[in-house]
Amino acid sequence: MGTPFPNQVSDFIQRHHLLSHGSKYLLALSGGADSVALLLVTKELGYDIEAVHCNFHLRGEEADRDEQFCKQFCKQQHVPLHLAHFDTRFYAETHKVSIEMAARQLRYSHFERLMADIGAQGILVAHHQDDSVETVLLNLIRGTGLHGLKGISPINGHIIRPLLGLTRQKIEAFLEERKQEYVTDSSNLTADVVRNKIRLEVLPLLRTINPSVSESIALTANRLSQAAKIFDEAIQQKIKAASIPQEEALCQAYFVRKIDDEYVLFEILKPLSFSPAQITDIYQHLDAETGTLFASATHEVLFDRGRMLIQPQLAPFKSMRLPVTGQYVLPSGLKLVIEEQVVDDDFCISKDPATACLDADKVKFPLLLRTVREGDRFQPLGMRGSRLVSDFLTDRKYTLFQKRRQLLIEDATGRIVWLVGLRPCHSCRVTPETRKITVLKMKDVKKDER
């Protein structure tokens, strides 16, 4: 006779340091076999638990049946129950996410708030060994890296999984032994979702080859989890070797020639929403010409003069009209100060690149603060003719990222009077005949506060 189910759960909890007596925990109760078993066994082991059940109103009468079951079950077990109702479809439509993602976001957001409200130390969920095996196979199919093959972790932040060492078969055997009823979600019985296909079709087929396939995959995942720790250290060393000092506050930079392993690139880009296929494509173009750009939902990769630059996707800068002198705060946290000064004996033109001194009689309000547009031309201070702004920036080895962020100020005539931080306009320069000056200063609000 094997080790009793509660003892196996207790051993797993102790081995992974998941729970402690004297602390309160919130338990996610769906009414299904897994969560029912989790409630029974943690209560039997003497842990202080309160249950929470979410009704997502997606399965009509079946969802209401599950709620009623949870009420009766918790009453029988003398366990406090918290109920939550969600309009999941409305949330999904409003936030432009799938129904499955909407339910997940609603569920875990509510769990976190409720956990804080009742003073709980963690949220117990009923994922078990088969769930972890399904995750391994799902990630293998999707082509994720080594970390995707580790399966589910016993603890992740506030989420705790005491049943992760037990199979679904053992859970159901425990409930049968206790003659404990539970409800079944009919949506889990159809193979119309990838995970369900793995559960209902792939794993049964694999068991015809090896009846202990779940245990074997779980054991391999555990070994990979241990190997991943060593692997991570080696990868971080390679990433460090490939990195160069950040030249821009918004960019991470890497030497392309030092990224000699696609997996190093994978570890750099995967957390930044790049798909495995995109990463392979980028790796195959490490010698791409300057200006080549790749984008994910959250970040961009730019190749520039032998470097690979990475930055978050940035919202386009919205042009600002500057009708009069004064102070204008930019969304980035910078502040533009516009002042007028009379030229006197004490006046001296500022040499600070963040300041431009212009002949006020030659600058026509209202001004406009905007980013560079294709075809923009201006006359840099000290030059007789005009130049394309893009060529001016290229001469200074500006990257595409820098060019897109470069600000300029034009006056009411459409003339660019200041390429911010770089050069004022020659035709607006201060001369011996100048009597009044328009001063433009770009300041960092945070530095001013300090």
Side-chain angles (χ1 to χ4, degrees), residues 247-253 274 290-295 298-305 307-314 371-372 393 397-407:
E247 299 177 342
E248 306 173 69
L250 295 175
C251 283
Q252 306 167 47
F274 287 91
T290 293
T292 301
L293 192 69
F294 295 87
T298 60
H299 286 74
E300 293 178 299
V301 165
L302 171 68
F303 287 95
D304 183 87
R305 292 182 290 274
R307 300 168 299 170
M308 184 177 75
L309 305 176
I310 307 169
Q311 78 167 18
Q313 291 272 15
L314 301 177
T371 50
V372 176
L393 297 177
K397 301 189 184 304
Y398 266 42
T399 69
L400 177 62
F401 289 159
Q402 291 173 305
K403 289 179 179 178
R404 291 192 312 198
R405 293 198 303 274
Q406 178 61 49
L407 297 175

Side-chain angles (χ1 to χ4, degrees), residues 403-415:
K403 289 179 179 178
R404 291 192 312 198
R405 293 198 303 274
Q406 178 61 49
L407 297 175
L408 59 81
I409 294 178
E410 67 178 27
D411 71 358
T413 68
R415 176 179 50 185

Side-chain angles (χ1 to χ4, degrees), residues 229-282:
K229 296 177 182 177
I230 302 171
F231 172 83
D232 286 344
E233 292 178 3
I235 287 294
Q236 289 306 313
Q237 288 299 318
K238 284 202 168 190
I239 292 175
K240 184 177 180 180
S243 301
I244 60 176
Q246 292 189 11
E247 299 177 342
E248 306 173 69
L250 295 175
C251 283
Q252 306 167 47
Y254 299 90
F255 277 129
V256 173
R257 66 174 179 269
K258 288 190 177 181
I259 301 178
D260 54 2
D261 189 324
E262 185 175 344
Y263 211 101
V264 175
L265 188 64
F266 183 91
E267 290 298 315
I268 293 170
L269 298 182
K270 184 63 171 67
L272 308 181
S273 304
F274 287 91
S275 69
Q278 281 182 300
I279 295 170
T280 296
D281 192 21
I282 294 170

Side-chain angles (χ1 to χ4, degrees), residues 313-367:
Q313 291 272 15
L314 301 177
F317 180 82
K318 188 175 181 180
S319 300
M320 293 180 64
R321 189 171 181 271
L322 315 169
V324 294
T325 57
Q327 299 187 10
Y328 299 86
V329 178
L330 282 60
S332 61
L334 297 176
K335 178 172 63 175
L336 176 64
V337 179
I338 306 177
E339 302 172 333
E340 284 197 353
Q341 296 180 11
V342 175
V343 175
D344 55 26
D345 294 339
D346 296 326
F347 172 75
C348 181
I349 296 177
S350 174
K351 296 182 179 180
D352 181 1
T355 301
C357 296
L358 308 173
D359 188 319
D361 291 332
K362 298 175 182 177
V363 177
K364 307 302 180 184
F365 281 82
L367 307 181

Side-chain angles (χ1 to χ4, degrees), residues 34-48:
D34 309 332
S35 63
V36 167
L38 179 60
L39 188 147
L40 285 179
V41 73
T42 50
K43 181 172 179 287
E44 184 174 319
L45 292 174
Y47 292 104
D48 183 7

Side-chain angles (χ1 to χ4, degrees), residues 87-103 105-106 297:
D87 188 341
T88 312
R89 287 193 172 86
F90 177 78
Y91 181 93
E93 292 173 4
T94 303
H95 293 81
K96 309 298 184 204
V97 296
S98 67
I99 291 291
E100 183 182 26
M101 181 57 68
Q105 291 177 358
L106 288 167

Side-chain angles (χ1 to χ4, degrees), residues 13 28 30 56 82 88 145-146 159 163 165 210-211 242 245 262 271 288 324 358:
I13 290 172
S30 68
F56 297 102
H82 305 270
T88 312
L146 177 62
I159 306 300
L163 299 185
N210 176 9
E262 185 175 344
V324 294
L358 308 173

